[in-house]
Amino acid sequence: MIVSSESKDRQPGERPPVVQRAAAHGARTAMLEPDGAVTYDELLSRTDRVSAALLPEQSDLQEARVAYLLPPGADYVAAQWGIWQAGGVATPLSLSAAPREWQYVLADSQASALITTADLRERVAATCNALGVPIVTLEETAPHSPAALPSIMPDRRAMILYTSGTTSQPKGVVSTHGNIQAQIETLIDAWKWQADDAIPLFLPLHHVHGIINIMSCALWAGARVEPFPKFDAAGVLQRVAAGAYSVFMAVPTIYVKLIDAVETLPESQRAAVCEGFRGMRLMVSGSAALPATIHVAWSELTGQQLLERYGMTEIGMALSNPYDGERRPGAVGQPLPGVELRLVDEQGRTIDGENQPGEIQVRGPGVFAEYWNRPEATAEAFVDGWFRTGDIAVRERGAYRILGRSSVDIIKSGGYKLSALEIETALLEHPAIAQCAVVGLPDDTWGETVAAAVVLRDSAALDAETLTAWCREQMSSYKVPQRLLFVDSLPRNAMGKVTKPAVRELF
Ligand code: MLC
Ligand code: AMP
């Protein structure tokens, strides 16, 4: 169990751990934004404004859920820390979600308020009004400090992240302040985060990779974060060439895109970019399998051995190749400090030796508390206190290798975990669609790409272009099926159940 000296000695009335630490980083640059540097002191004063706005009459939000829709940057951090400090549960919304997805998260989490900017307000106003969720814009917060703040103890709920899985609707993963601290500290320790580190942030901030591994670890260490509104290969490479970063973290799709981008640069620029990558102390890949070919291609291009690690929203990071030592292409290394991990076979027996596949199960202080308002799903997710990840792995020569997932209904595309059932449920709301089946197809860039086989209702007419346009209104862009096939019937087994492997064959 990882407990820092601070958390052991923590007294009631203290601020959340990451906020406490920020005070010690004072005048250092926390965020380098396009319009200037934001220091840790400035972040703290913006955090106080948010807390004061959320606590006009009371001194503790008592774990009320507060949603926020904000671009990556200091405002996002101030909202997250301001909610935490006020005793609320931070519930980030995805900037690329469709209104019905925001509506689902706001309703499911029973959000008490939503924080956004004046610019973004219009995009969510109708959704919030329909649900009666008040909107707070950062521009309207006053430069006040909160009159009184609650005691943030480690077992209080801190954050809900929505994850798509084997159910037709996403589940809210609740992490406590203690869980978040453990998830951060294991990476600070294993990957040797330092105050003089600098890292770009171009991953979305509604998932752990961006929130914990990049943003929270960097701010815990007193390092500098450079946010990008979204991933932009040219913009990132320009800063890499300038030697701006010491640490870099991305999903495999981004490394595939960067290889393309670097290889098409003029010779004169390519050398500086490769030098920029070569000079970094750490480059990490995760959230989806890194093909060994990409590991090798990246090393030939930049001289960097990517450190591949494995994690999940419910547990933070669990397995990592070593900081010092062999980083084996295709493998995800060993359990991180403080993480207990075992493989379990189909009969529920723990696998002791090597070369025998089993489900990864995890225990430890970083493992989430519960699925929000879903006691049965929470109970099913654990066996004897171990969290069942649903990922199958094998241990070979001392390192774990991920073999796949136990469910065919989970798709990993561009590092996003998508639920085939959730996309099917959305498609079935189209009046022309009678039946459908969604599968993931292997893809060199995206890992998997979403494909849908669709059976139309009698006499209904629908073409791929119209359906795609409709999907874009209903779901996040990364969930929209990239391949569509209109069929007369879906392949089914003797029980009448759609056979997903046969659906894949159709493509
Ligand atoms: C977008 N496109 C896709 C797609 N996403 N096509 C297939 N599959 C997908 N998943 C299409 C768009 O429709 C568009 O097409 C074109 O690609 C460019 O879209 P874009 O949005 O501009 O793409 P880009 O910004 O380049 O996005 C790629 C990306 C993004 C890799 C930056 O997908 C991303 O941020 N992924 C990271 C997700 C993440 O953080 N996961 C971590 C989860 S936590 P057109 O035709 O419109 O041009 C977790 C735990 C752990 O997993 O272990 O970390
Ligand atoms: P999420 O639920 O979005 O947090 O995604 C977590 C899932 O991503 C895990 O359950 C794995 O299936 C997958 N994943 C994360 N890292 C890796 C990796 N290095 N290799 C293979 N799969 C990974």
Side-chain angles (χ1 to χ4, degrees):
M1 161 126 173
I2 308 160
V3 181
S4 72
S5 51
E6 283 126 320
S7 67
K8 263 187 288 188
D9 302 338
R10 188 119 48 86
Q11 296 303 313
E14 291 187 7
R15 299 181 185 218
V18 68
V19 182
Q20 280 181 52
R21 290 189 59 95
H25 304 314
R28 296 182 62 80
T29 295
M31 291 267 165
L32 187 59
E33 303 201 315
D35 51 1
V38 179
T39 63
Y40 281 87
D41 283 337
E42 168 68 14
L43 264 187
L44 287 173
S45 74
R46 294 198 207 175
T47 297
D48 280 349
R49 282 173 81 124
V50 172
S51 299
L54 293 173
L55 294 173
E57 278 143 26
Q58 78 247 65
S59 59
D60 186 348
L61 287 176
Q62 310 263 19
E63 298 189 1
R65 277 70 57 212
V66 181
Y68 51 115
L69 179 73
L70 291 165
D75 284 344
Y76 179 103
V77 178
Q80 185 193 55
W81 291 5
I83 296 165
W84 283 350
Q85 193 176 248
V89 178
T91 310
L93 297 187
S94 159
L95 287 164
S96 51
R100 72 192 280 280
E101 294 170 318
W102 287 331
Q103 177 175 357
Y104 174 78
V105 171
L106 291 170
D108 187 78
S109 64
Q110 301 146 301
S112 61
L114 174 124
I115 303 175
T116 188
T117 59
D119 282 352
L120 286 168
R121 185 188 178 105
E122 267 318 293
R123 279 178 63 191
V124 276
T127 309
C128 287
N129 292 344
L131 293 167
V133 175
I135 299 178
V136 178
T137 61
L138 288 174
E139 290 81 354
E140 76 201 23
T141 62
H144 296 148
S145 294
L149 287 170
S151 307
I152 304 300
M153 302 306 278
D155 58 354
R156 277 181 76 135
R157 293 180 182 87
M159 184 158 72
I160 302 186
L161 298 181
Y162 275 80
T163 185
S164 294
T166 48
T167 47
S168 59
Q169 295 288 16
K171 297 192 289 272
V173 175
V174 180
S175 303
T176 63
H177 288 278
N179 296 149
I180 290 172
Q181 178 169 1
Q183 292 180 8
I184 296 172
E185 286 187 317
T186 191
L187 299 185
I188 296 279
D189 180 10
W191 298 345
K192 302 192 172 26
W193 273 98
Q194 304 147 12
D196 59 4
D197 277 326
I199 187 166
L201 170 60
F202 40 70
L203 292 181
L205 287 180
H206 60 292
H207 285 305
V208 289
H209 197 159
I211 299 174
I212 301 290
N213 298 22
I214 300 175
M215 195 184 79
S216 302
C217 283
L219 298 178
W220 185 276
R224 190 181 80 230
V225 179
E226 243 184 76
F228 287 75
K230 74 186 288 273
F231 175 66
D232 148 32
V236 171
L237 292 182
Q238 206 182 1
R239 295 290 297 150
V240 168
Y245 311 125
S246 62
V247 182
F248 196 95
M249 295 185 190
V251 298
T253 300
I254 287 182
Y255 288 108
V256 174
K257 286 177 176 248
L258 285 175
I259 290 172
D260 272 1
V262 175
E263 283 177 345
T264 51
L265 282 175
E267 194 57 46
S268 56
Q269 291 171 27
R270 199 193 302 179
V273 165
C274 291
E275 219 29 60
F277 281 122
R278 198 181 301 271
M280 292 183 197
R281 70 166 186 87
L282 175 66
M283 296 195 72
V284 180
S285 173
S287 301
L290 177 71
T293 49
I294 301 301
H295 185 112
V296 172
W298 190 258
S299 146
E300 284 170 357
L301 194 65
T302 66
Q304 282 279 354
Q305 295 282 325
L306 292 176
L307 180 154
E308 184 172 5
R309 59 44 175 199
Y310 158 89
M312 196 173 181
T313 306
E314 286 88 335
I315 58 176
M317 298 303 110
L319 290 162
S320 169
N321 273 281
Y323 186 80
D324 300 306
E326 186 204 9
R327 298 180 189 169
R328 197 183 301 164
V332 288
Q334 295 81 28
L336 280 156
V339 175
E340 279 184 87
L341 185 140
R342 66 180 190 182
L343 295 182
V344 175
D345 71 13
E346 283 175 0
Q347 282 70 45
R349 290 176 304 221
T350 303
I351 295 166
D352 285 327
E354 296 214 318
N355 306 316
Q356 199 191 332
E359 182 190 27
I360 299 178
Q361 298 188 352
V362 176
R363 203 163 63 169
V367 175
F368 76 124
E370 60 183 350
Y371 292 115
W372 178 247
N373 266 343
R374 285 179 176 75
E376 282 170 20
T378 306
E380 273 171 29
F382 288 87
V383 55
D384 301 332
W386 292 82
F387 173 68
R388 307 166 57 180
T389 63
D391 289 308
I392 311 298
V394 64
R395 197 157 58 92
E396 296 165 338
R397 293 180 291 127
Y400 288 82
R401 186 162 65 85
I402 310 291
L403 298 175
R405 287 177 296 274
S406 53
S407 167
V408 289
D409 286 321
I410 292 178
I411 300 168
K412 262 275 164 169
S413 186
Y416 285 107
K417 182 158 110 178
L418 311 177
S419 158
L421 299 178
E422 183 189 329
I423 300 171
E424 287 164 5
T425 304
L427 286 173
L428 287 172
E429 281 174 26
H430 193 289
I433 296 179
Q435 300 167 35
C436 65
V438 168
V439 291
L441 301 178
D443 185 277
D444 287 346
T445 299
W446 300 99
E448 286 182 292
T449 188
V450 179
V454 170
V455 181
L456 294 182
R457 292 190 188 283
D458 289 344
S459 76
L462 184 65
D463 59 54
E465 207 180 317
T466 314
L467 180 54
T468 300
W470 180 85
C471 286
R472 285 186 191 277
E473 308 265 293
Q474 305 296 317
M475 55 186 86
S476 307
S477 52
Y478 48 82
K479 296 181 188 167
V480 174
Q482 301 291 315
R483 307 255 325 255
L484 283 169
L485 206 58
F486 293 93
V487 293
D488 293 332
S489 63
L490 295 172
R492 292 180 187 272
N493 63 17
M495 313 289 289
K497 192 172 180 306
V498 173
T499 42
K500 293 276 171 110
V503 174
R504 274 203 202 103
E505 295 294 312
L506 296 176
F507 291 88

